Amino acid sequence: SGNKSDGASFGFKMYILLVLTLNATGYILLIRYTRSRDDVPMYFSTTTVLLSECSKLSISLILLIKEHKSVVGMIRDVYHNVLCNPSDTFKMCIPSIIYALQNNLAFVALSNLDAATYQITYQLKIITTAVFMVVMIGKKINPMQWLAIFLLFAGVAAVQVESANTKEDMKHYNYMKGLISIIVSCLCSGFAGVYFEKVLKGTETTLWIRNVQMYLFGILSGLVAVFTKDYNNVMTHGFLYGYDVYVFVIIGMASIGGLYTSIVVKYLDNIIKGFSTAVSIVMAALGSFLFFGKSFGYLFMGGSVLVTVAIYLYSLPKPAAGGPQKARGPQ
Ligand code: NCC
């Protein structure tokens, strides 16, 4: 399975991962910013999640038009592989429901606690993802690699503690509600990510058709969320109540982040995605220290060392029975 990643160059992968990390950080900061303002009317977050799914569907269809170099080609592809293939299409039902839950929970969490706590706690996802890789794909992870996964979690968390701006006022705080939302999010993200990977790599259906299937159900799930949580709000105030440019930027970032996530899972895998985003987080923190001329402290340095050791330990060759095995680690 090491050959799965051969389809793209190293530089391309690094570029994708850096965009993914920077985009995710901006996304989280912007959600936190818009959810903690109290001088403007508050938008309904379920509508934002729904519009993100619509946006990702539109972009996927446009990419399919480009791929086929014709609108008719795109329509044919979607007709044959989505509409006429319901059993295949329905495979995307479960992950898109779980992602809908996770995407809505991000707004709940960031309405209740600060962005730094969110990003740090969210790193727990590294561990939940590994557990689901073992349980669902049957991936073999040896004790040394488990150690690496825990060190990675600790290292990234430490780096983020130091680079985070914690001087935020504590209004709207419901810490418990926020934390529980994050923990459920980590379980959702791990499960849905591995599920998507398993279906994507286990069948012939192309990435963009998978995404079209995913976002069709995503729109349905998003609609259910709007109806169950904000039906009365939308009916009295309107669907786009409280929207301003920031909210539209959030939708744009959610689209970029989601589509890039699917590309990363196609060319790499969910665990390597965790390792690689860890590296980009360290790089981004380093960049911001250098950029703002700040000196970095022990937490950043210690955290970076932990991340580096984790990568080394994870990529050590496995002492397998029956012959030498190739190292499987982040490349
Ligand atoms: O949590 P995470 O991703 O695993 O969430 C995956 C996001 O990608 C969308 N997705 C997934 C597969 C697919 N085929 N299409 C998709 O659109 C899902 O809907 C879900 O939103 C990460 O690895 O840390 C990452 O984190 C998110 C986000 O920061 C967190 O979920 C916190 O809210 C990033 N999303 C954005 O930046 C918008 C993602 O890029 C990376």
Side-chain angles (χ1 to χ4, degrees):
S1 64
N3 296 330
K4 284 257 161 53
S5 57
D6 287 354
S9 74
F10 179 76
F12 177 72
K13 287 180 211 164
M14 287 319 283
Y15 158 77
I16 295 270
L17 288 163
L18 202 64
V19 171
L20 195 76
T21 309
L22 294 178
N23 183 73
T25 304
Y27 176 70
I28 289 165
L29 289 174
L30 258 188
I31 293 182
R32 174 59 193 161
Y33 170 67
T34 55
R35 295 316 273 182
S36 60
R37 294 183 293 183
D38 45 21
D39 48 339
V40 291
M42 185 60 78
Y43 62 98
F44 312 125
S45 58
T46 53
T47 61
T48 314
V49 174
L50 174 59
L51 289 179
S52 309
E53 296 301 306
C54 297
S55 154
K56 288 185 289 187
L57 177 64
S58 315
I59 297 172
S60 304
L61 293 175
I62 291 170
L63 290 173
L64 279 172
I65 294 176
K66 276 189 72 181
E67 186 188 308
H68 293 290
K69 296 194 181 66
S70 87
V71 177
V72 176
M74 176 278 279
I75 294 175
R76 266 204 202 109
D77 196 358
V78 172
Y79 178 75
H80 285 297
N81 295 306
V82 180
L83 290 179
C84 297
N85 202 351
S87 64
D88 192 61
T89 299
F90 269 98
K91 287 184 181 146
M92 288 295 109
C93 189
I94 292 173
S96 57
I97 292 173
I98 304 289
Y99 272 140
L101 178 64
Q102 182 205 329
N103 290 333
N104 278 292
L105 281 176
F107 286 87
V108 177
L110 286 162
S111 303
N112 288 294
L113 39 74
D114 61 284
T117 307
Y118 181 88
Q119 262 201 317
I120 293 158
T121 318
Y122 195 61
Q123 299 309 317
L124 263 179
K125 195 192 62 176
I126 296 169
I127 295 168
T128 56
T129 301
V131 171
F132 284 118
M133 289 288 274
V134 172
V135 175
M136 293 166 60
I137 301 197
K139 189 175 173 59
K140 303 266 184 300
I141 298 181
N142 64 31
M144 190 64 97
Q145 289 178 316
W146 276 116
L147 176 66
I149 287 165
F150 278 93
L151 290 182
L152 184 74
F153 163 65
V156 181
V159 166
Q160 288 198 323
V161 168
E162 190 165 307
S163 56
N165 177 10
T166 42
K167 282 200 203 70
E168 215 188 325
D169 73 59
M170 302 283 156
K171 62 181 180 243
H172 310 312
Y173 241 74
N174 184 342
Y175 208 77
M176 243 5 243
K177 193 173 173 189
L179 276 189
I180 291 171
S181 304
I182 297 178
I183 291 168
V184 176
S185 289
C186 291
L187 291 168
C188 289
S189 160
F191 175 81
V194 174
Y195 197 113
F196 181 72
E197 179 174 344
K198 183 176 170 145
V199 174
L200 182 69
K201 292 180 178 169
T203 53
E204 292 300 308
T205 310
T206 62
L207 173 66
W208 296 105
I209 287 292
R210 281 288 173 223
N211 279 343
V212 168
Q213 298 169 330
M214 178 91 136
Y215 304 142
L216 284 173
F217 287 115
I219 291 173
L220 283 182
S221 318
L223 274 172
V224 171
V226 173
F227 272 94
T228 50
K229 190 155 170 279
D230 287 319
Y231 180 77
N232 288 329
N233 287 333
V234 168
M235 280 307 163
T236 40
H237 299 287
F239 192 86
L240 294 182
Y241 177 79
Y243 270 61
D244 62 4
V245 67
Y246 293 109
V247 185
F248 285 106
V249 173
I250 288 175
I251 293 172
M253 292 185 120
S255 314
I256 295 172
L259 295 173
Y260 273 59
T261 296
S262 72
I263 297 174
V264 169
V265 167
K266 178 182 160 79
Y267 290 111
L268 302 163
D269 75 33
N270 270 291
I271 295 189
I272 297 186
K273 166 171 167 262
F275 274 88
S276 321
T277 34
V279 174
S280 355
I281 286 169
V282 174
M283 301 295 238
L286 187 63
S288 81
F289 288 139
L290 297 177
F291 187 76
F292 295 112
K294 281 199 297 185
S295 61
F296 32 86
Y298 293 115
L299 271 176
F300 174 78
M301 288 191 272
S304 308
V305 171
L306 282 185
V307 168
T308 313
V309 172
I311 292 170
Y312 173 71
L313 290 181
Y314 190 81
S315 50
L316 283 181
K318 290 180 188 174
Q325 235 181 313
K326 253 183 77 183
R328 290 230 350 54
Q331 269 120 56

